[in-house]
Coordinates of all heavy atoms in Angstrom, one line a residue:
A36 N 125.8 64.4 135.8 CA 126.5 63.2 135.6 C 127.8 63.2 136.5 O 128.4 64.3 136.6 CB 127.0 63.1 134.2
S37 N 128.0 62.2 137.1 CA 129.1 62.2 138.2 C 129.8 60.8 138.2 O 129.3 59.8 137.9 CB 128.6 62.5 139.5 OG 129.6 62.5 140.5
R38 N 131.1 60.9 138.5 CA 131.9 59.7 138.8 C 131.6 59.1 140.2 O 132.0 58.0 140.5 CB 133.4 60.1 138.8 CG 133.9 60.7 137.4 CD 133.8 59.6 136.3 NE 134.4 60.2 135.0 CZ 134.5 59.5 133.9 NH1 133.9 58.4 133.7 NH2 134.9 60.1 132.9
A39 N 130.8 59.8 141.0 CA 130.6 59.4 142.3 C 129.6 58.2 142.3 O 128.7 58.1 141.6 CB 129.8 60.5 143.1
E40 N 130.0 57.2 143.2 CA 129.2 56.0 143.3 C 128.0 56.1 144.1 O 127.0 55.4 143.9 CB 130.1 54.9 144.0 CG 131.3 54.5 143.0 CD 132.2 53.4 143.7 OE1 131.9 53.1 144.8 OE2 133.1 53.1 143.0
K41 N 127.9 57.1 145.0 CA 126.8 57.3 145.9 C 126.4 58.8 146.0 O 127.3 59.6 145.8 CB 127.2 56.8 147.4 CG 127.5 55.3 147.4 CD 127.9 54.9 148.8 CE 128.2 53.4 148.9 NZ 128.5 53.1 150.3
T42 N 125.2 59.1 146.4 CA 124.7 60.4 146.6 C 125.5 61.3 147.4 O 125.9 62.4 147.2 CB 123.3 60.5 147.0 OG1 122.4 59.7 146.0 CG2 122.8 61.9 147.0
E43 N 126.0 60.6 148.6 CA 126.7 61.3 149.6 C 128.2 61.7 149.1 O 128.8 62.6 149.7 CB 126.8 60.6 150.9 CG 127.3 59.2 150.8 CD 126.2 58.1 150.6 OE1 125.2 58.5 150.1 OE2 126.4 57.1 151.2
N44 N 128.6 61.0 148.0 CA 130.0 61.3 147.5 C 130.0 62.5 146.4 O 131.0 62.8 146.0 CB 130.6 60.1 146.8 CG 130.7 58.9 147.9 OD1 130.4 57.9 147.7 ND2 131.2 59.3 149.1
L45 N 128.8 62.9 146.1 CA 128.7 64.0 145.0 C 129.4 65.3 145.6 O 129.4 65.5 146.8 CB 127.3 64.3 144.7 CG 126.5 63.3 143.9 CD1 125.1 63.7 143.9 CD2 127.0 63.4 142.4
K46 N 130.2 66.0 144.7 CA 130.8 67.3 145.3 C 129.7 68.1 145.9 O 130.1 69.1 146.6 CB 131.6 67.8 144.1 CG 132.8 67.0 143.8 CD 133.7 67.5 142.7 CE 134.9 66.9 142.5 NZ 134.8 65.5 141.7
L47 N 128.6 68.2 145.3 CA 127.6 69.1 145.9 C 127.2 68.7 147.4 O 126.7 69.6 148.1 CB 126.2 69.1 145.1 CG 125.4 67.8 144.9 CD1 124.5 67.6 145.9 CD2 124.7 68.0 143.5
R48 N 127.5 67.5 147.8 CA 127.3 67.1 149.1 C 128.6 67.3 150.0 O 128.7 67.8 151.2 CB 126.9 65.7 149.2 CG 125.5 65.4 148.8 CD 124.5 66.1 149.5 NE 123.1 65.7 149.2 CZ 122.1 66.4 149.3 NH1 122.2 67.8 149.5 NH2 120.9 66.0 149.0
T49 N 129.8 66.9 149.4 CA 131.1 66.8 150.1 C 131.6 68.2 150.2 O 132.5 68.6 151.1 CB 132.1 66.0 149.5 OG1 132.5 66.3 148.3 CG2 131.5 64.4 149.4
K50 N 131.4 69.0 149.2 CA 132.0 70.4 149.0 C 133.5 70.2 148.8 O 134.3 71.2 149.0 CB 131.6 71.2 150.3 CG 130.2 71.5 150.5 CD 129.6 72.1 149.3 CE 128.0 72.3 149.7 NZ 127.3 72.8 148.6
K51 N 134.0 69.0 148.5 CA 135.4 68.9 148.3 C 135.8 68.6 146.8 O 135.0 68.0 146.2 CB 135.9 67.6 149.0 CG 135.8 67.8 150.6 CD 136.4 66.6 151.3 CE 136.3 66.7 152.8 NZ 136.7 65.5 153.6

Side-chain angles (χ1 to χ4, degrees):
S37 179
R38 303 291 186 183
E40 296 178 353
K41 301 177 181 179
T42 302
E43 55 265 34
N44 298 136
L45 289 165
K46 292 185 173 72
L47 62 84
R48 292 296 191 214
T49 67
K50 305 298 183 181
K51 295 179 180 179

